[in-house]
Amino acid sequence: MGFPAGTAPRPADGEGGSGGAAGFAADAAQLVAVRELRAAVRALFARAVRPGRPSPADAARLMPVPEAVRHLNEAAARTPTMPALDWPEDVAPAVRKRSVRAGNDLTAALADALIAFLASPDRDRLRACHAPRCVRYFPKEHPRQEWCNPSCGNRARVARHHQRHKATA
């Protein structure tokens, strides 16, 4: 899940210039804002995986959905955007959002990408990983995929094996 075209935060002049995170350093306020956004997104992801179970890591302490939606929308609104026409040769024209002002509002860029994801058909592939000690949500890539990565699958199988053998011992 990347940033929609033209919405990724860019380093300020003299901070790496490659468009990557090389020169980016978050201050305390940015860290708090990103953590608050993460709490909102976890609540929205838990709603998106219904009727499946949410991640057990925080299922009992999720932010209410209306509050999470409000928080996500407020974060996205921090960077005003404008429509821009993109029409390369031999391709249909498309409208892309472009930031009105240059800035490094990471929270706004993340919120914009998350809104795009949650409003897309990809949301239907979102699942919660139920491996022991895992807190992740992931897009299901294969019909038989149950875990976010192979190490979680291995951890779940080991836990099942341990439970079976503990019960017979």
Side-chain angles (χ1 to χ4, degrees):
M1 169 174 55
F3 292 107
T7 62
R10 291 186 173 47
D13 291 340
E15 289 186 351
S18 66
F24 183 78
D27 61 20
Q30 288 171 320
L31 287 173
V32 168
V34 169
R35 288 179 180 138
E36 289 172 353
L37 180 63
R38 178 180 58 192
V41 169
R42 291 191 68 78
L44 296 172
F45 278 9
R47 180 179 181 179
V49 300
R50 287 182 192 165
R53 296 178 299 145
S55 171
D58 56 4
R61 56 190 159 119
L62 291 170
M63 181 183 293
V65 171
E67 182 181 340
V69 169
R70 182 186 51 75
H71 193 79
L72 182 64
N73 289 334
E74 287 174 357
R78 290 185 194 144
T79 301
T81 58
M82 61 180 255
L85 181 64
D86 184 22
W87 199 351
E89 197 67 36
D90 298 327
V91 179
V95 176
R96 307 271 187 239
K97 290 194 307 182
R98 189 169 56 194
S99 177
V100 172
R101 66 175 193 266
N104 274 346
D105 193 336
L106 176 63
T107 309
L110 289 170
D112 197 37
L114 290 160
I115 288 169
F117 173 75
L118 288 169
S120 76
D122 288 338
R123 180 192 71 242
D124 294 337
R125 296 185 306 124
L126 189 66
R127 301 291 185 273
C129 184
H130 292 287
R133 299 183 312 278
C134 187
V135 300
R136 295 185 186 120
Y137 286 89
F138 64 96
K140 188 172 183 173
E141 301 291 340
H142 185 273
R144 294 181 61 193
Q145 183 179 1
E146 295 181 46
W147 302 288
C148 63
N149 63 43
S151 62
C152 276
N154 189 48
R155 197 166 44 247
R157 286 187 289 274
V158 167
R160 274 197 316 258
H161 175 81
H162 178 72
Q163 286 290 32
R164 277 194 311 264
H165 286 64
K166 187 173 96 172
T168 59

